[in-house]
């Protein structure tokens, strides 16, 4: 009845590098051969970690993440591979 906002997250952090390492490893590639880092987009050093806190969603909905970020990467890579087969 009263609108509110929820953070939908796992509560676990991962770096972009960890994400890339995992995604590219699934197709036996070295991420460093394909990813270029632009220093312009590096976050300032005062930001140590950005990790979503899903406790409100867990307590009020109740909702809890069931997919680990590595599983999400696997689903994304699998979908991209499947999609690329259909577009050939």
């Amino acid at each position: 009845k009263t609108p509110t906002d929820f953070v939908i997250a796992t509560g676990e952090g991962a770096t972009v590098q960890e994400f890339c390492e995992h995604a590219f490893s699934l197709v036996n590639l070295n991420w460093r051969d394909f990813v270029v880092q632009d220093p312009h987009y590096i976050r300032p050093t005062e930001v140590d970690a950005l990790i979503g806190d899903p406790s409100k969603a867990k307590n009020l909905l109740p909702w809890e993440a069931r997919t680990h970020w590595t599983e999400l990467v696997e689903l994304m890579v699998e979908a991209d591979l499947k999609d690329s087969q259909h577009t050939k």
Side-chain angles (χ1 to χ4, degrees), residues 12-25 29-32 34-38 41-43 47-51 69-70 73 76-77:
E12 181 180 333
T15 65
V16 173
Q17 180 175 330
E18 290 170 325
F19 184 97
C20 289
E21 287 173 350
H22 188 59
F24 281 87
S25 74
L29 295 172
N30 183 342
W31 71 275
R32 293 178 193 272
F34 299 91
V35 178
V36 177
Q37 184 178 22
D38 185 337
Y41 295 107
I42 296 175
R43 289 187 182 272
V47 178
D48 291 331
L50 296 173
I51 300 173
W69 71 265
T70 55
V73 171
M76 293 168 70
V77 169

Side-chain angles (χ1 to χ4, degrees), residues 14 26 74:
L26 296 170
E74 293 161 14

Side-chain angles (χ1 to χ4, degrees), residues 52-68:
D53 177 5
S55 60
K56 181 178 175 182
K58 183 176 181 178
N59 292 330
L60 296 179
L61 292 180
W63 177 89
E64 192 170 359
R66 294 181 294 194
T67 305
H68 189 270

